[in-house]
Amino acid sequence: MGWMRRGVYAAALPAEPLDIKDAAKPSVEHIERVDIPAPPSAPPTKRKGARRRTPVTEEELAIAAGGREPVDPDDLPFIPPESISKHDNLKDGLWIVVEDRVYDCTNFLDLHPGGPEVFHQFAGKQCTWQFWKWHSRKHLEPWEESLLIGYTYPVPPNPYPEPKRWIRTGSL
Ligand code: HEM
């Protein structure tokens, strides 16, 4: 897209014949980048710094694990739903449930690229659809070993109903 043929702009070129040295130059121009500033009234669409390009460090994983030793996922315990609802604050531990998996996020809040606030909303609760709205497996995987503490059943209800997804049938 950034490549344009010079001939298109022939009208903008000088009338005199080009110097032979110029003629030997490549006949395309590379436009690096065009910044179009957003209008001042545009609301922010992303939380500043929500995306990170650097890999997660060992130190961050250790902080997120809060001193827990890594456990083989097959050896993690079953956690009853009553226990999950009690872990809805930073003092007793802040857990969330995605699918049937229980994550202890107590020490992860400040490392979360999406910010700490979201965890208070879902503390001690199931937030499966909200989680997949913002993440894919690749976001979860690096942190899973540090945060996953067990499995639960029945999965606690999600406090908010998932909005319906509409598909357009006109083009089918
Ligand atoms: C196991 C717990 C969680 C992990 C490991 C996790 C991980 C991440 C990661 C890696 C990102 C950066 C995504 C990117 O680079 O594009 C992110 C962003 C985000 N996360 Fe989480 N997250 C967790 C829980 C949650 C929860 C419970 C919510 C709320 C529903 C949430 C909401 C968000 C939001 C809103 C963003 C910013 C997305 C954007 O603006 O692009 N996260 N999270």
Side-chain angles (χ1 to χ4, degrees):
M1 291 297 184
W3 294 91
M4 290 190 184
R5 293 185 60 228
R6 217 179 198 185
V8 175
Y9 297 103
L13 291 175
E16 312 83 65
L18 284 173
D19 186 86
I20 189 72
K21 289 201 285 326
D22 283 336
K25 284 183 186 164
S27 62
V28 289
E29 267 178 65
H30 183 201
I31 298 175
E32 273 300 325
R33 179 187 159 135
V34 179
D35 281 322
I36 302 169
S41 59
T45 50
K46 296 278 175 211
R47 188 178 180 277
K48 200 162 174 266
R51 274 157 204 260
R52 55 180 287 169
R53 292 172 198 280
T54 48
V56 176
T57 65
E58 289 297 321
E59 197 194 346
E60 288 173 320
L61 292 176
I63 295 171
R68 282 186 303 273
E69 289 298 318
V71 179
D72 187 315
D74 290 339
D75 297 335
L76 285 169
F78 168 80
I79 301 175
E82 314 81 78
S83 173
I84 295 164
S85 56
K86 287 182 194 144
H87 289 86
D88 63 353
N89 61 78
L90 289 175
K91 193 167 135 286
D92 302 318
L94 195 159
W95 298 357
I96 62 161
V97 176
V98 177
E99 311 290 354
D100 63 345
R101 294 168 172 231
V102 185
Y103 296 96
D104 182 346
C105 298
T106 317
N107 299 296
F108 174 62
L109 265 67
D110 293 328
L111 296 170
H112 182 229
E117 304 83 11
V118 287
F119 290 95
H120 295 292
Q121 195 177 1
F122 295 109
K125 299 186 173 78
Q126 183 249 120
C127 56
T128 307
W129 73 258
Q130 292 92 342
F131 184 86
W132 293 123
K133 184 170 155 52
W134 293 104
H135 314 85
S136 64
R137 289 268 352 143
K138 76 165 188 211
H139 298 125
L140 182 57
E141 260 155 21
W143 297 99
E144 190 135 51
E145 192 181 73
S146 302
L147 302 179
L148 184 63
I149 53 165
Y151 306 92
T152 191
Y153 189 84
V155 172
N158 193 303
Y160 308 98
E162 183 173 7
K164 285 194 169 43
R165 292 172 199 197
W166 299 95
I167 55 161
R168 283 200 296 162
T169 53
S171 55
L172 292 178

